[in-house]
């Protein structure tokens, strides 16, 4: 696939993947592409854990599902990230950032304006929204053919030093290489971040993956072959708007343009 096409078609895959293992060749291509990324002094500060066993994927799926349900029940997630949520095409066309929750069961739609508040939280809990989201999360994580632990070697990451920032930049570059390569191979990717939002759940993930003290588990990704005919989740979002060129750049010196 042409690079430009991979950049413009790469996106988060929110829904299930085809129930087909990733080929060894494709896994190798993805990891080796990550390792071609730039890093400070070519330090290659990353290490990867490939999880393909059904038992372990199920265990991780359970943690992801529980974390999602817990976060939604407590209402913390929406509160913490409320500024990124959009509920209509008009809203996201205006801000050109954030995520557009475009798939919601009809019986929930009237309650969306109350989502960010005590009333909305009680209604959503009463209607079982956290449970629906938790079940969806568990299903898509546990059935993903590959779960990938992405670790940063802490010897390259000393908080408060320049090398810490350099490592993070390197990790971002490695992720993008993986994601673009996956896209070119017909493979989708999604962050599994809900367990990261709950320290006890993240500890469980680290234990399951045997993450050593020398490393920071930066993220877990789910990967698999995509197929446009696969069903979307019960509640789902898209995120394809981006800010305009004119809104992004200043010439010669910074000048704020947004009102
Ligand atoms: C650091 C980071 C954390 C993210 N966490 C999540 C996540 O928890 N769940 C998820 O579905 N997507 C997650 N994403 C994906 C973004 O939501 C997504 O990239 C963005 O909305 C743009 O959508 P796109 O990837 O489809 O272009 C994360 C992305 C980054 C870079």
């Amino acid at each position: 696939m042409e690079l430009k096409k991979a950049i413009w078609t790469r996106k988060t895959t929110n829904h299930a993947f085809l129930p087909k293992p990733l080929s060894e060749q494709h896994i190798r291509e993805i990891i080796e592409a990550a390792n071609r990324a730039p890093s400070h002094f070519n330090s290659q500060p990353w290490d990867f854990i490939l999880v393909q066993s059904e038992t372990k994927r199920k265990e991780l799926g359970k943690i992801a599902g529980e974390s999602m349900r817990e976060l939604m029940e407590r209402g913390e997630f929406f509160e913490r990230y409320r500024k990124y949520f959009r509920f209509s095409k008009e809203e996201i066309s205006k801000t050109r950032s954030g995520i557009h929750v475009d798939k919601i069961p009809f019986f929930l739609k009237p309650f969306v304006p109350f989502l960010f508040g005590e009333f909305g939280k009680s209604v959503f809990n009463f209607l079982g929204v956290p449970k629906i989201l938790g079940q969806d999360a568990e299903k898509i994580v546990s059935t993903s053919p590959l779960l990938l632990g992405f670790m940063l070697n802490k010897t390259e990451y000393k908080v408060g030093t320049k090398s810490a920032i350099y490592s993070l930049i390197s990790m971002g570059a490695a992720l993008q290489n993986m994601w673009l390569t996956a896209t070119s191979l017909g493979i989708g990717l999604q962050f599994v971040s809900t367990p990261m939002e709950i320290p006890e759940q993240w500890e469980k993930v680290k234990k399951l993956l045997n993450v050593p003290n020398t490393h920071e588990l930066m993220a877990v990704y789910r990967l698999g072959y995509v197929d446009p005919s696969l069903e979307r989740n019960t509640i789902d979002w898209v995120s394809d708007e981006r800010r305009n060129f004119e809104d992004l750049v200043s010439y010669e010196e910074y000048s704020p343009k947004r009102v």
Side-chain angles (χ1 to χ4, degrees):
M1 187 188 272
E2 198 207 335
L3 174 65
K4 240 184 187 171
K5 188 170 177 205
I7 292 173
W8 285 84
T9 55
R10 182 217 55 81
K11 61 177 180 182
T12 296
T13 306
N14 302 334
H15 50 73
F17 296 120
L18 288 174
K20 180 177 135 185
L22 293 193
S23 81
E24 275 311 305
Q25 174 57 26
H26 286 170
I27 294 176
R28 209 165 247 280
E29 274 188 49
I30 290 169
I31 301 299
E32 286 178 350
N35 204 35
R36 291 307 306 175
S39 57
H40 52 303
F41 297 100
N42 195 22
S43 51
Q44 303 164 46
W46 40 67
D47 283 291
F48 305 85
I49 303 171
L50 304 173
V51 179
Q52 291 171 288
S53 99
E54 195 178 347
T55 324
K56 205 154 256 188
R57 287 183 293 134
K58 275 193 176 153
E59 284 179 90
L60 285 167
K62 197 159 166 272
I63 297 173
E66 273 173 15
S67 308
M68 175 69 87
R69 188 175 46 71
E70 210 178 314
L71 278 177
M72 297 301 154
E73 263 168 12
R74 293 201 224 135
E76 275 172 29
F77 192 78
F78 289 130
E79 286 305 327
R80 200 175 294 162
Y81 299 118
R82 66 188 297 173
K83 71 172 188 170
Y84 302 115
F85 282 89
R86 322 274 179 252
F87 290 97
S88 68
K89 190 95 189 125
E90 293 71 49
E91 219 184 330
I92 192 138
S93 308
K94 213 162 106 198
T95 59
R96 305 189 71 93
S97 66
I99 65 167
H100 175 200
V101 184
D102 66 331
K103 188 166 180 271
I104 311 178
F106 73 93
F107 61 91
L108 287 178
K109 284 197 176 149
F111 301 104
V112 165
F114 309 105
L115 180 62
F116 302 107
E118 279 309 308
F119 174 68
K121 194 174 93 181
S122 323
V123 172
F124 271 61
N125 282 348
F126 178 73
L127 294 172
V129 176
K131 204 168 149 213
I132 297 175
L133 289 167
Q135 281 167 345
D136 277 351
E138 176 167 354
K139 187 167 130 209
I140 61 172
V141 173
S142 57
T143 59
S144 297
L146 176 68
L147 299 175
L148 180 66
F150 185 39
M151 295 188 302
L152 168 60
N153 188 325
K154 282 191 202 164
T155 55
E156 298 298 335
Y157 182 76
K158 301 255 175 344
V159 179
T161 65
K162 281 283 173 224
S163 85
I165 296 171
Y166 297 154
S167 317
L168 295 183
I169 295 173
S170 310
M171 295 298 277
L175 164 64
Q176 186 70 343
N177 274 10
M178 281 197 275
W179 211 334
L180 292 177
T181 304
T183 305
S184 76
L185 297 170
I187 293 168
L189 182 152
Q190 185 183 26
F191 274 74
V192 183
S193 316
T194 45
M196 217 189 239
E197 300 278 338
I198 304 174
E200 310 86 73
Q201 298 283 16
W202 197 236
E203 282 308 312
K204 281 195 216 166
V205 173
K206 290 201 301 198
K207 198 160 169 222
L208 206 59
L209 300 182
N210 194 25
V211 173
N213 288 333
T214 48
H215 285 67
E216 185 71 37
L217 182 63
M218 300 297 284
V220 173
Y221 306 116
R222 47 181 288 272
L223 290 97
Y225 293 106
V226 287
D227 183 329
S229 68
L230 287 169
E231 211 188 323
R232 298 181 72 195
N233 293 346
T234 320
I235 298 174
D236 207 357
W237 55 271
V238 287
S239 206
D240 46 11
E241 292 283 358
R242 292 295 192 270
R243 289 159 56 209
N244 295 322
F245 178 83
E246 289 70 23
D247 189 30
L248 296 171
V249 301
S250 300
Y251 291 96
E252 316 310 338
E253 62 181 47
Y254 179 68
S255 55
K257 283 165 294 300
R258 294 233 268 182
V259 278

